[in-house]
Amino acid sequence: MSQRKSQGEDAPPEAHGHAIVIGGSMAGLFNARVLSDHFERVTIVERDSFPEGPGFRKGVPQSRHLHAFLTRGRQIAERFFPGLKEELVSHGAEPMDMSEDGNWLTPAGMAPRFRSEISLLTMSRYLLEWAVRGRVASLPGVGFLGRTEVTGLLPATGGTSVAGVKVRSRDHGDGADPEQPLYADLIVDASGRNSRAPRWLEALGHEPPEETVVNAHPGYATRVFKRPEDPSRDWKSMFVQISPPEHQRGAVMFPIEGGRWICSLIGMGGDHPPTDEEGFMRFAGSLRSPVLYEAIRDAKPVSPIHGYRDVENKKLHYEKLPRQPHNFLVTGDAACAFNPVYGQGMTTAALGAELLEGLLRGRSADDDFVGLSRGFQKKLAKVNAGPWLLSTGEDLRVRGTEGGTAGLSTRLTHGYMDRVLALSLRDLGVRRTFLEVFAMLKPPTAMFGPDIALKVLRGR
Ligand SMILES: Cc1cc2nc3c(=O)[nH]c(=O)nc-3n(C[C@H](O)[C@H](O)[C@H](O)COP(=O)(O)OP(=O)(O)OC[C@H]3O[C@@H](n4cnc5c(N)ncnc54)[C@H](O)[C@@H]3O)c2cc1C
């Protein structure tokens, strides 16, 4: 894959029809795909160099951990990149039914297994990102500017838009490389949860966005195992859901390419799983179900144990800014990042790209972008509201969560959801709706529809 410095280094007059995406991870790639339909050139500026095949890179340290790509996100990705599923499967991704093939211990008990027709595809995050990156690299007009860091925004005359970004090559590694301008008509920041965009805007005289943080102090420890042959095993994936505040430990394990399992142990409220061999197994043995421990006890580890800590829910309120450059958008984790245990990040990144697709439809490359960023950030905040509610609402059950407390309405919602969950173990229709909400195929409000609410009330 090209990591060329071939695009967008020209002076402003040549920059028409040029869009820049900051960050070449999932949000950046999905948005580049959308922008390639509307711009002559799209440049993805990424501070890392990309591995040749599916593999680790420093800029996405979370990629060592289990990444569930929820069904809704995968549907969008397959629309963006026809044939993606088949490609992933040909590289070893595992198709499964979300309910029938999974052992799922909910806080209310073991979930029933039945054919739900809600499909999942499990694979390593490395494989997913590599396949999507390959698709994006083959799009006409799209180029990657690897090992290059965006260090700020370039002001345009008048201050209502930006002219481009300042970039610095990381090739010499000593910070000696001078900053270079890179001009564009539209700039999309997809640089992740540590995005510097608030500081960049401040440097241009704009107010930075307010920030909301809800932190349930989750921690991960992840290890990959060779999947043992066992014809008697009747499940493909395992999910031991946390059940706070009593049980703040959980785990997810699913098959990935290469005949392997990826197993992420999760501890909330600061009760983080250890990253040493003995501690990891002890933590696995302390879960509410012994099945996962028994499965990995004799499996051969094929990776070290990697930890990841304190990934809070964090939302930057770009939608409330009185003034934001018209042609500068912030999306993906850079705008709103979630506690990852609910698996929503990549799907909301895809939804954000789909939103941009809708807003760009019907515009020509010659149109200006007045009002685009305001409209985009307002709509994106709405897209993120459902996943945010689900993630922070559940996190407020956890002991020691900072940034919010469970008020009356949250406590009532918790009580209602507990009853829905208990009901879903007996009523497959309710379970299906629950799974559809979990897979982001339906909004959380679907759990409050009259059909389910009536059953819950009758159940009381
Ligand atoms: C432990 C863990 C587990 C997770 N599990 C799941 C899961 O199961 N399912 C799910 O959907 N999501 C999960 N997520 C979230 C998921 O990883 C992200 O939501 C997803 O990667 C989309 O993020 P992004 O593209 O916005 O940012 P990121 O993936 O963080 O990527 C940002 C990119 O920008 C680059 N960059 C940063 N700054 C600059 C700069 N100044 N100049 C140039 N480049 C820059 C970085 O190198 C990186 O490539 C998990 C996250 C964590 C931490």
Side-chain angles (χ1 to χ4, degrees):
M1 183 178 306
S2 151
Q3 303 201 1
R4 63 210 148 110
K5 288 193 176 184
S6 64
Q7 302 203 4
E9 294 173 312
D10 314 316
E14 290 174 45
H16 296 298
H18 182 215
I20 290 174
V21 178
I22 308 170
S25 179
M26 299 313 295
L29 294 170
F30 291 144
N31 280 282
R33 161 67 186 81
V34 164
L35 292 165
S36 72
D37 283 341
H38 300 274
F39 288 81
E40 279 167 34
R41 293 183 301 134
V42 179
T43 306
I44 300 168
V45 185
E46 168 55 55
R47 64 180 177 194
D48 270 351
S49 48
F50 294 110
E52 280 301 316
F56 181 75
R57 60 188 183 86
K58 271 196 194 149
V60 191
Q62 73 269 29
S63 58
R64 285 178 165 136
H65 299 271
L66 178 142
H67 268 65
F69 196 15
L70 301 179
T71 315
R72 176 77 188 278
R74 213 191 68 233
Q75 287 175 349
I76 298 171
E78 280 165 19
R79 186 171 65 76
F80 285 164
F81 309 106
L84 180 67
K85 179 181 174 191
E86 290 70 24
E87 183 184 343
L88 290 165
V89 170
S90 76
H91 286 98
E94 185 86 29
M96 67 176 82
D97 184 277
M98 192 171 180
S99 171
E100 189 173 48
D101 296 326
N103 240 335
W104 185 330
L105 180 62
T106 77
M110 208 65 189
R113 286 170 59 185
F114 64 102
R115 184 127 211 99
S116 67
E117 306 292 346
I118 303 172
S119 68
L120 280 184
L121 193 62
T122 62
M123 68 221 110
S124 71
R125 163 67 196 253
Y126 302 154
L127 175 62
L128 176 63
E129 188 179 312
W130 170 78
V132 171
R133 192 163 68 236
R135 292 303 191 97
V136 171
S138 68
L139 295 169
V142 177
F144 286 85
L145 196 51
R147 291 196 54 73
T148 304
E149 185 162 20
V150 170
T151 53
L153 301 174
L154 293 168
T157 333
T160 54
S161 54
V162 288
V165 296
K166 291 187 259 183
V167 296
R168 182 182 277 139
S169 162
R170 303 179 90 200
D171 274 341
H172 299 296
D174 54 6
D177 278 8
E179 281 176 340
Q180 304 276 355
L182 189 61
Y183 296 99
D185 305 289
L186 182 66
I187 293 116
V188 177
D189 177 32
S191 62
R193 63 164 66 226
N194 297 318
S195 159
R196 305 277 300 155
R199 302 288 82 79
W200 299 337
L201 285 172
E202 241 180 338
L204 293 193
H206 295 265
E207 269 178 46
E210 285 168 28
E211 188 179 291
T212 305
V213 172
V214 177
N215 193 351
H217 300 283
Y220 274 57
T222 297
R223 191 166 216 187
V224 177
F225 296 88
K226 187 167 169 28
R227 207 159 60 232
E229 293 296 329
D230 179 0
S232 68
R233 193 188 309 122
D234 68 346
W235 51 266
K236 289 186 178 176
S237 70
M238 187 164 325
F239 185 9
V240 182
Q241 221 179 318
I242 57 164
S243 180
E246 291 81 19
H247 303 282
Q248 308 217 130
R249 295 181 169 191
V252 194
M253 182 161 88
F254 61 47
I256 58 172
E257 68 279 4
R260 297 171 297 163
W261 271 329
I262 186 164
C263 171
S264 283
L265 304 181
I266 297 161
M268 305 285 282
D271 179 20
H272 297 156
T275 52
D276 65 284
E277 186 121 13
E278 206 190 313
F280 185 89
M281 289 310 288
R282 214 180 319 111
F283 192 99
S286 74
L287 295 171
R288 287 189 298 130
S289 155
V291 183
L292 185 136
Y293 173 81
E294 283 160 10
I296 60 172
R297 190 180 41 198
D298 300 320
K300 183 175 174 237
V302 289
S303 83
I305 302 167
H306 295 287
Y308 206 108
R309 296 191 164 187
D310 272 347
V311 264
E312 73 278 11
N313 300 285
K314 178 171 144 187
K315 175 156 78 165
L316 288 121
H317 296 275
Y318 285 100
E319 76 283 3
K320 290 190 187 159
L321 281 183
R323 219 160 55 87
Q324 180 177 342
H326 291 307
N327 56 346
F328 178 66
L329 314 178
V330 184
T331 195
D333 279 15
C336 187
F338 306 94
N339 175 350
V341 308
Y342 310 101
Q344 306 180 110
M346 299 190 295
T347 296
T348 43
L351 286 167
E354 204 173 54
L355 170 66
L356 181 61
E357 183 183 44
L359 291 179
L360 290 178
R361 203 174 286 136
R363 282 177 186 251
S364 87
D366 294 331
D367 288 343
D368 61 25
F369 296 103
V370 174
L372 180 72
S373 63
R374 176 164 291 271
F376 177 81
Q377 303 299 160
K378 278 191 186 303
K379 289 194 162 87
L380 185 68
K382 285 190 183 147
V383 167
N384 288 333
W388 177 266
L389 193 71
L390 194 149
S391 169
T392 57
E394 284 302 302
D395 278 1
L396 289 179
R397 294 178 189 256
V398 173
R399 261 178 280 120
T401 294
E402 289 172 334
T405 45
L408 181 63
S409 69
T410 306
R411 290 201 306 275
L412 287 173
T413 310
H414 286 164
Y416 176 83
M417 285 308 297
D418 289 345
R419 288 199 287 276
V420 171
L421 203 54
L423 182 64
S424 76
L425 304 192
R426 290 176 274 123
D427 184 320
L428 297 189
V430 175
R431 181 72 188 155
R432 191 169 203 292
T433 307
F434 179 90
L435 293 175
E436 284 168 336
V437 171
F438 199 90
M440 291 177 75
L441 295 166
K442 285 188 175 164
T445 47
M447 301 307 305
F448 299 85
D451 46 341
I452 295 184
L454 274 175
K455 284 181 181 174
V456 167
L457 285 174
R458 260 191 242 129
R460 288 183 80 190

